[in-house]
Amino acid sequence: MRANEREAHQKREVEIIPHYIKHPEGSVLISFGDTKVICSASVEERVPPFLRGKGQGWITAEYAMLPRATSQRNIRESSKGKVAGRTMEIQRLIGRALRSVVDLSKLGERTIWVDCDVIQADGGTRTAAVSGAFVAVGLAVSELLEKEKLKENPINGFLAALSVGMTDSGKAILDLDYKEDSTADVDMNVVMKSGGRLVEVQGTGEEATFSRRELNEMLDLAEDGIEELFAIQKEILGDFGEKLSLIEEGQKTNAT
Amino acid sequence: MRANEREAHQKREVEIIPHYIKHPEGSVLISFGDTKVICSASVEERVPPFLRGKGQGWITAEYAMLPRATSQRNIRESSKGKVAGRTMEIQRLIGRALRSVVDLSKLGERTIWVDCDVIQADGGTRTAAVSGAFVAVGLAVSELLEKEKLKENPINGFLAALSVGMTDSGKAILDLDYKEDSTADVDMNVVMKSGGRLVEVQGTGEEATFSRRELNEMLDLAEDGIEELFAIQKEILGDFGEKLSLIEEGQKTNAT
Amino acid sequence: MRANEREAHQKREVEIIPHYIKHPEGSVLISFGDTKVICSASVEERVPPFLRGKGQGWITAEYAMLPRATSQRNIRESSKGKVAGRTMEIQRLIGRALRSVVDLSKLGERTIWVDCDVIQADGGTRTAAVSGAFVAVGLAVSELLEKEKLKENPINGFLAALSVGMTDSGKAILDLDYKEDSTADVDMNVVMKSGGRLVEVQGTGEEATFSRRELNEMLDLAEDGIEELFAIQKEILGDFGEKLSLIEEGQKTNAT
Amino acid sequence: MRANEREAHQKREVEIIPHYIKHPEGSVLISFGDTKVICSASVEERVPPFLRGKGQGWITAEYAMLPRATSQRNIRESSKGKVAGRTMEIQRLIGRALRSVVDLSKLGERTIWVDCDVIQADGGTRTAAVSGAFVAVGLAVSELLEKEKLKENPINGFLAALSVGMTDSGKAILDLDYKEDSTADVDMNVVMKSGGRLVEVQGTGEEATFSRRELNEMLDLAEDGIEELFAIQKEILGDFGEKLSLIEEGQKTNAT
Amino acid sequence: MRANEREAHQKREVEIIPHYIKHPEGSVLISFGDTKVICSASVEERVPPFLRGKGQGWITAEYAMLPRATSQRNIRESSKGKVAGRTMEIQRLIGRALRSVVDLSKLGERTIWVDCDVIQADGGTRTAAVSGAFVAVGLAVSELLEKEKLKENPINGFLAALSVGMTDSGKAILDLDYKEDSTADVDMNVVMKSGGRLVEVQGTGEEATFSRRELNEMLDLAEDGIEELFAIQKEILGDFGEKLSLIEEGQKTNAT
Amino acid sequence: MRANEREAHQKREVEIIPHYIKHPEGSVLISFGDTKVICSASVEERVPPFLRGKGQGWITAEYAMLPRATSQRNIRESSKGKVAGRTMEIQRLIGRALRSVVDLSKLGERTIWVDCDVIQADGGTRTAAVSGAFVAVGLAVSELLEKEKLKENPINGFLAALSVGMTDSGKAILDLDYKEDSTADVDMNVVMKSGGRLVEVQGTGEEATFSRRELNEMLDLAEDGIEELFAIQKEILGDFGEKLSLIEEGQKTNAT
């Protein structure tokens, strides 16, 4: 049995507090159990040099942890003078994932800077960050639409992520906490877009390896859990969430 | 009249939430109005090289802001690869101030790392950080005493800080918010220890200058405001706060 | 039809030149078509601090490209003073992958430093690097065994990698060259261990997304191609390759 | 009794050699006893980006010590690749202080770069730097006026600084040398503008604290000592010094 | 006797493989015995800021070694975050040397970036780099001429380099390998232009010193060896090499 | 005719002020005309890691310029966060040169750190630095001998340096000032040890090249000028200088 009597397919309690800090165009505090991440979306009215004059926008993400978000204090990356490989990997993942649900050509020549700052960590910080970042971006875009800075909604689906893993007894489990993560044989992060589409699959077996069957078992768990996250996101996003669902429905209908 | 109908001598609403994050030995979320800082105190069972073998402890502090704590997003110091001068100035101030109320020889060969991370900024982040950091250290020390890792309380007084300034109409005001701070002629940060002792006085008139009379006027405001902070800190620290007050009383009596 | 009349399931021509440079304990020049990587394995008789005294070894990898390995010259990372996120991602992948086929407890307190330097790039540099690095490590280990510095072979399987992708016309293709890679909708890197075990699956759809069915289609292609790489590796490794195959056989038998 | 038979209120011997190096528009070698600082003022015909097009100038300062300015050799900041917190604090102080006596709107779109390089240190390097930097800037401005690059004198008062401290026997002393500084309980740097105006007050009690009465005692000492520095500066600046004094007089008269 | 039965005046076997990598406008793999360097010349259609609008071109060089080019693995300069002094010295030498045989005013507003990457080191890497870099630049220029991007050949002579040294028995030897280099008393690098002109002479006696007579002895050896390199370069450069020789002849005739 | 009516073979006026700053074991201010360099020698009672336990000493040098030592202000290397290639080249040269006249095995396990800080530059800063650094080291060694920290004098000759160049009219000139240096065709720095031994010869013709005859002409000029520097150094070093001369004589006699 897992901690807090969780079943293998159960994710931890998820909470999303919108408008958590006042300055950003969009912001949330997202919790996956004891993992807590402040996600903010800042709109800047220009694009990076490589996109200038192309009439499209950009979304980029940065990720960090407070030094004592973890059980041992970490040295700040600003003190070390460089960003760790793990940090870069995560922030690149968040940025790519967000760009997969936003039509950059509809964003205009602006950049959305997403900041995911982990204030408390207990496993799954990157999946919480992706899932929270999507809502922060949603809030920012919704504000841009209201203020008529955007004419058309550039977001074309919900986006959320969960981790899955294989325990050493060969059981697939969903949304690993830190303790589970440190002992799991295989660790996989799955990012999905609503409509059952995969955005990113990163499965890693550092000391163990995994079979195709196990891969599919883990993906099944992830898929179901992520659907639940979409429902929470929709509720938090209110009217804008409703509209996104309709787009989604429309796409399914079109696809039929 | 100031924003929110504040009088010149009124500080903003102060809130201190203890045990705000779970991993650090001590932590708070402190708010001075819209300025919100997570302060954590992490105990490490060793001292920096320059103190090894001297039988005493050390307290050091780091300060940072989330990129979008402010109205314009700032580039992360980790991305820039270096820590700004302002940041260094503030973290050196916090560390020095904390060391003035802790008897390092009673701390044993351990370091308390204090992290002050501003999640929302509206002026006075360094004074909120000092005032919150003291409580975080108090909580950590109180835990060390309970667990009998420390035999004797090394803290010998309360510590808090407030900013004061002179408006361009020559009026002294307490606890400036961001807007007041940007237009004030003189900006002063005052750190005090209970018992009416000054720990740090930093008065700066970048475009204006100030007289000895104005300096004293500002110090009067700061002194009264800081006494109120001591009362809040005492309450949050509970039993440990009570004991600190008694030490304070005893010192006064001895001094008589 | 693909360039050079390749079929969707055909990988490019693979060449592995062993002992390509004289100083390292193991080295190869591996080519996947026009992609050429020098992989070297350097044995150092000590382990990083976090492993000292634990009686086990370590394998770590670094990856770089010559400035003009690509069609546009890139600024050297040493001139920029920092390592790019992409580079970190790749070198972490190579290190993790190699550790999944080496029993570190049988390596003794030594580190194998793997250097993968791309001298010419045409897509698939990371998969070529993983596949060549394995052979370089194999040559180094084989030398350590011959010199009796190692008593037991710590390698327990072959390791190779290939990229797969989905073209915009929805077709899965194997081992993408640079041009295919830049236009593909989905890009996936698959690292496998002999015996049909997955080591790492990294599928990314930056602008597109992919379905479970497409994921499986791509994995099928990768699996077959990687089996062919194992055969080439085995031949290059000579006697040592033969022995590795037998271990593999044994494991299968045991598993039965 | 202090070293060299100094009384508590006596500053060390002060020497200012103007035009000490030939390239800068203004330069001095200033000595406070054994503390020697080369201060130079370099005029650049443009302003930093944040001021472009605003029709005003800028003054900024940098501070450094030769590696063996001190009794123990220090590692160069260029070798360490970063500037220490103490250095940043000091150079920010010098820049702010100079800007408080210069009307930037009368400077035109130019920057004055002030460099303070300590060639020999014996306490009080930052106060010597401020006091010498003012003269270097005065010389540079005086040259700009002579060459008619400036139409109007932007400097509106003298500027100088001294340190004061409390010894452990509770006595206030002026202009501490290195040995006094290391044993003092309280250390305060006072920057003043002629006319009795405070520009910067930085009082710090790392291990001790100080009372309001002690603060005032220290400020009294500083005020008298700084008046003496103004007289020396005036003499060195010759005609330009005379004119500055008259401005000063005029301001007093106006104020009456 | 030297290794491989070399005489004092004999250089090692030299091999130059042109067009070694496919992307650069010019590239070679040059070997001086076991020293192997990939030299590439990349043409960029712009010049550095300090040359903009001056109607001339620029040539600059970078030099690096693969971590395991040497018998002990070196830490990558990108990991250290800074370029070593030795590296800078060498790349500045290569750039200067190339600029001495190219008429930058005939190059147009373009930059030739030369990259010399040592893949295997056995002494003399800088002289091999200079000699190979010249051929890479020759190939690039020859291509620019063919494509009519250049109207006139900007190269006015061959350029090559060799090391010479004094053994501890006082004998001058040519083209030292690593072992010879580590034990030689004096180490000198000579860069020459065809026509017997010296471009760069760098003689260094770290532990020993040398006389004028010894200097001349070493220069004699270098001069003869470098003439042989010119012949090899000429052959590799084919038609373009022939033309260069004629220019050379012409210059001699003119000089007569 | 040269500036200040100098003849081609005349060096500028040389001044060496010993004990220029008080903390270092040895220090001078050396002037070659308007070029002024503070050279200090700091003795540290330990050696760098690569020499530990080998019973010998080490000498290393660092070189820097004040930002406004030159006619245009340069950005500080500490602000840029890295040391320029030119700086590295020069400080490596100074260190090597000093080591050529000091018997490190007689120095004991100590390091002499030499700092050469240019306070005013007008060409020839590296040759002034070498020549002044030698005297600073001489003063430091002389003190170590007096204090009996050293039993035997490790210095075995004088060391000085001068620049020579070829003007565009093909005339060799000695000790170039900044203006001459910028227009010279060939620039050469010569470091010599007393007794007519060459320590370092660095001749560079960036845009021009030079013949063997010209090289010898320049060396003749340098040799004579450096002999004059030896005489000045001897005088400044007093008794210690006398003794050094005797050693020199002795060596000549022995050599006969």
Side-chain angles (χ1 to χ4, degrees), chain F residues 37-110:
Chain F
V37 188
I38 298 176
C39 303
S40 77
S42 300
V43 179
E44 189 190 26
E45 294 296 320
R46 59 175 186 178
V47 287
F50 71 92
L51 284 180
R52 271 175 211 155
K54 301 206 172 156
Q56 70 159 91
W58 188 242
I59 300 183
T60 186
E62 291 190 357
Y63 166 99
M65 291 211 277
L66 295 203
R68 195 58 195 284
T70 47
S71 65
Q72 296 290 315
R73 186 181 182 274
N74 295 299
I75 300 174
R76 280 174 199 271
E77 296 186 332
S78 57
S79 302
K80 282 193 282 192
K82 60 180 175 182
V83 175
R86 177 186 172 275
T87 300
M88 288 212 189
E89 233 172 77
I90 296 176
Q91 60 196 19
R92 283 159 59 89
L93 165 67
I94 302 170
R96 272 198 315 267
L98 291 169
R99 290 190 296 270
S100 77
V101 294
V102 177
D103 185 337
L104 298 174
S105 67
K106 292 187 185 160
L107 196 57
E109 289 226 342
R110 50 173 66 86

Side-chain angles (χ1 to χ4, degrees), chain D residues 20 22 25 73 115 120, chain F residues 20 22 68 73 115 120:
Chain D
Y20 187 69
K22 76 171 188 177
E25 284 70 18
R73 186 180 183 275
D115 288 291
Q120 191 171 278
Chain F
Y20 187 67
K22 76 170 188 178
R68 195 58 195 284
R73 186 181 182 274
D115 289 290
Q120 191 171 280

Side-chain angles (χ1 to χ4, degrees), chain C residues 6-69:
Chain C
R6 269 208 286 160
E7 307 269 357
H9 68 275
Q10 261 187 306
K11 60 181 191 327
R12 290 171 290 176
E13 203 165 317
V14 172
E15 189 185 20
I16 300 178
I17 306 176
H19 310 297
Y20 186 69
I21 47 175
K22 76 169 187 177
H23 297 298
E25 283 71 19
S27 75
V28 304
L29 175 69
I30 189 166
S31 316
F32 277 19
D34 274 346
T35 289
K36 289 171 192 294
V37 188
I38 298 177
C39 303
S40 78
S42 299
V43 179
E44 189 191 24
E45 294 296 321
R46 60 174 185 177
V47 286
F50 72 92
L51 283 180
R52 270 173 211 156
K54 300 206 173 157
Q56 70 160 92
W58 187 241
I59 300 182
T60 186
E62 290 190 357
Y63 166 98
M65 290 210 278
L66 295 202
R68 196 61 195 283

